[in-house]
Every structure is written in structure tokens, then in C-alpha cells.
Amino acid sequence: MARRTVNATLLVALLASCGSEEPMPSRTSDSQHLMYVGTYTRETSAGIYAYRFDSESGTAEEIGLVAEMREPSFLALHPTGRYLYAVSETDDFDEDGSGSVVSFRVSASSGALTKLNEVSSRGGWPCHLNVDASGRMLIVANYKGGNVASFPINEDGTLGEASSFFQHEGSSVHERQDRPHAHSADFSADNRFAFFSDLGLDQVKIYQADPEAGTLAPHDQPSVSVEAGSGPRHFALHPGGQSAYGLNELASTVTVYDYEAETGALSVAQTVSTLPEGFEGESYTAEIYVHPSGKFVYASNRGHDSIASFAIDPSTRRLTPKQQVATNGNWPRNFSFSPDGRYLLVANQNSDNIVVFALDDTSGVLTPTGIDLAIDAPVCLLFL
């Protein structure tokens, strides 16, 4: 489906040639927001695309291709909004078989991305990254390499070479768990800790973080384990700071963790399925987020092709299943809330579309809006 590759390439050239003459404002009203889309470029997609999303109507206007690069499967934003970072989920960036991390400067008026620099991720197939709240440090999880790394962020938004690196060791019971597979990288709200879900080990690894130095260090509690064969994939901290929610890809479950913010310690408290009772097909989870209100958790199912929602008990922070809603597409990966939390947008990788749902912030219920955006192999959505 090469429906936009030629025109999008021309758009990149146009934006690059504009200099200060930027053709489109990023927000023409308080309801309009830039949304970046990372894609898999294995067939016809060419890199990172952008849309202008209207949070009043739930509609989106296509801007087009804003950065050509290989396999930008996950994106992260600098807290100033001036810089964007993307993994290149490859294993041939250097002779060590690593992928890379690319830094971009964001045009606040056009949405154009200008490449600043690119550094080795220190492992093959980097699949997830995050920037700390101070904007001084970036962390990345390398799936194929089974390792994690941290990078200093310079004042101009460029990345330094890796300042710390840790190779995970071990395995578990599933055929995909013959070795480590680091799958997500997340900071605590206070920047003191970093959490890495490792699908191959059935563990969430815990590190101490030092944003000023841009480094990681071993934690007193090096990890917390889940049931064998679960396959931890992604991780989300509750905004209240007393719990976290881990998504397990192979078991299609969510693990609720009690979290001690002072010490960075995690302990398993509950595990719930993301699938409806009686489901017997093949399905794997992909993404998990806590709604900004702190009242709901959402997770995506690939195979069942749905978004599962859960209500969070305000006192115990345990989960109660609420809904599984079809994503009107195939193989939903990442999803994102609109900046006001009123919409949830889902990237359906294999059906080449992004679907918009209205989100009731009282009940947490998702309702299809009928808005469907055509784009090749979308895998990550990020609002500016």
C-alpha cells in the first residue's frame, strides 16, 4: 500500500527547504495538537509521519512524512517538546549488530523533524525508549540484544554515546524465552529509578538512575519476577505513585505491583487477564497505559484485536475488568490518549489504520467514533 510514499517524500524536501518560512502552524486553536506516528518500514512506509489532531471533533488532518528513517517503532519526547527521539529497530547500525537511537529537533510551527544525530543503541532491535523528566537522560531497551543502556542528552538535544550498559542473563520456559529480551524502559516520576521489562526472563529489572550523570546503577532489589511464561512487555506507573501495572505479552495478563516510591521496590499484588472469559484463540498483548485521571488502565490485544479496559480501585489500586472493545483493525500495537484524555487512538499495524475512540472519563468506556486514518504499518503514536 504505497499510497503516500512519493508525496510524503516531497513534503520532507519542502519542509527542509523552508528554513524559518514554516508553512503550517502546529496549533491553530487550543484544540489542535500535533501527533507523530512511528511505523515499520519493511514494505512501503518510509519513516515518521505527522497529523494535526483536533481534540474537539476527534478528527485528524494528515501532514505527511516528516522524517525518513528505518523502523522507527517507538518514539519519545523531550519534556520541553523541542526534541523527539526514535529507536531504529535494526541490528546492522554497526559491526556489533546494534540498532540505533536518533534525535530530532521539532518545529513548533510545522511539525517538521530535523535530524540532529544518531548513536548506537548498544544492542540489536531497540524497541522502546524514554526520556527522564529533567530532559537530561535517555534509556533504551534492546530486544534482540537482551540488554539496556542509558545516554546523556546534551543541551542542544543531541545524544551522547552510551554512558551505561547492562547485559541481562538467563531464560525462562516459553520457546521465545531462551534468552533475555529487554522490551521496555521507564522512569519513576522522581527520576530516581528505571524499570525494564524483560520478556525473556519473566522479570522487571530495577536500576537506580542518575540523570545528572546520565547513568544507571544496580538496585538493591535487582528485579521482581512474574509467573513463568508470562513474558513482561510494557510497564506503566500510576500517577499516584503507589502502584504500577505490567503487561505480559505471552500470557495476555496485567500484573499489578505495589510500589514503594521511597525505595523503588516492587511487589506483585494481582494478576488479571486482558482477554474475555472463554477465549481460546492466539493473542498477544502489546501496550498498556494508565489514563491521566488515574481511574482506568487500558491494554491492547493482538490476535483478539481489542483494547481491554480496567477500573482502578482508588484505595487498593487493584483492577476490575470493564470492557474489551474491537479495534476495527488488525494487530493493534501502541495506542495513545489525546492530550485532554477524551479520545483514545489505536495503531493497527497489519490493517494499516489508526482508529479513534471516544473515551468517557467517568465510566472509562470506549466508543468508536467512526474516524479511521489510513497509514502504512503504524506502530507508535505520540502527541506533542
Side-chain angles (χ1 to χ4, degrees):
M1 298 177 68
R3 50 180 170 264
R4 276 188 308 281
T5 304
V6 174
N7 288 340
T9 302
L10 291 174
L11 176 60
V12 168
L14 173 63
L15 291 174
S17 67
C18 285
S20 60
E21 299 287 333
E22 294 170 330
M24 300 174 68
S26 64
R27 294 179 63 168
T28 56
S29 73
D30 289 342
S31 67
Q32 294 197 348
H33 308 271
L34 281 170
M35 180 179 74
Y36 292 101
V37 184
T39 66
Y40 274 135
T41 58
R42 297 165 187 173
E43 295 183 5
T44 57
S45 183
I48 302 173
Y49 294 79
Y51 288 82
R52 199 174 314 285
F53 181 80
D54 190 305
S55 58
E56 287 295 327
S57 64
T59 59
E61 173 191 1
E62 179 183 351
I63 295 174
L65 182 69
V66 290
E68 289 192 72
M69 66 171 288
R70 295 172 59 202
E71 312 288 26
S73 64
F74 213 86
L75 314 176
L77 193 66
H78 192 274
T80 63
R82 287 188 260 175
Y83 310 109
L84 182 145
Y85 302 91
V87 297
S88 179
E89 193 177 332
T90 61
D91 61 359
D92 58 1
F93 177 74
D94 57 25
E95 60 184 17
D96 296 325
S98 293
S100 65
V101 184
V102 183
S103 64
F104 296 94
R105 183 171 61 249
V106 176
S107 168
S109 57
S110 71
L113 299 178
T114 302
K115 182 177 177 179
L116 298 176
N117 76 325
E118 184 173 10
V119 298
S120 169
S121 69
R122 295 291 305 276
W125 300 354
C127 59
H128 197 266
L129 77 172
N130 249 309
V131 178
D132 86 289
S134 73
R136 294 179 292 180
M137 176 181 180
L138 180 145
I139 52 177
V140 66
N142 294 302
Y143 180 86
K144 182 179 180 180
N147 49 51
V148 303
S150 68
F151 304 81
I153 298 176
N154 301 316
E155 289 186 5
D156 62 359
T158 58
L159 292 167
E161 297 293 332
S163 47
S164 57
F165 171 85
F166 292 90
Q167 178 65 53
H168 293 174
E169 302 289 346
S171 61
S172 193
V173 300
H174 192 277
E175 62 182 1
R176 286 181 55 195
Q177 296 179 309
D178 60 329
R179 54 197 173 104
H181 291 302
H183 216 310
S184 66
D186 295 275
F187 285 101
S188 62
D190 60 7
N191 289 348
R192 296 172 55 227
F193 305 103
F195 307 95
F196 295 89
S197 300
D198 195 306
L199 182 146
L201 303 184
D202 284 322
Q203 294 178 344
V204 175
K205 294 284 193 178
I206 309 172
Y207 293 87
Q208 295 177 358
D210 183 350
E212 187 170 351
T215 57
L216 300 170
H219 187 264
D220 293 340
Q221 180 192 359
S223 64
V224 59
S225 297
V226 295
E227 184 177 349
S230 295
R233 177 183 172 93
H234 280 194
F235 184 86
L237 283 159
H238 190 278
Q242 295 178 299
S243 59
Y245 303 90
L247 190 65
N248 303 309
E249 176 177 340
L250 304 178
S252 294
T253 57
V254 176
T255 296
V256 181
Y257 299 96
D258 287 333
Y259 174 58
E260 293 289 339
E262 182 60 31
T263 64
L266 293 172
S267 58
V268 173
Q270 181 193 24
T271 300
V272 294
S273 176
T274 63
L275 297 169
E277 187 175 352
F279 177 78
E280 296 181 353
E282 187 175 25
S283 193
Y284 305 94
T285 58
E287 187 59 271
I288 186 167
Y289 286 119
V290 181
H291 189 264
S293 67
K295 297 190 294 185
F296 312 106
V297 166
Y298 297 87
S300 58
N301 291 306
R302 296 170 294 170
H304 188 252
D305 293 341
S306 64
I307 298 293
S309 62
F310 305 85
I312 300 174
D313 185 290
S315 57
T316 67
R317 297 168 299 283
R318 306 300 183 254
L319 299 181
T320 300
K322 290 186 62 68
Q323 181 187 29
Q324 282 105 6
V325 59
T327 62
N328 298 326
N330 182 256
W331 217 247
R333 287 180 68 99
N334 181 249
F335 58 87
S336 185
F337 304 111
S338 61
D340 60 5
R342 295 173 53 202
Y343 294 94
L344 184 148
L345 290 80
V346 185
N348 289 305
Q349 176 188 334
N350 291 351
S351 53
D352 301 317
N353 65 332
I354 298 170
V355 176
V356 182
F357 292 86
L359 191 156
D360 186 301
D361 61 3
T362 300
S363 67
V365 168
L366 299 175
T367 304
T369 63
I371 299 169
D372 190 309
L373 312 176
I375 179 172
D376 297 333
V379 291
C380 184
L381 308 178
L382 179 68
F383 280 97
L384 181 63

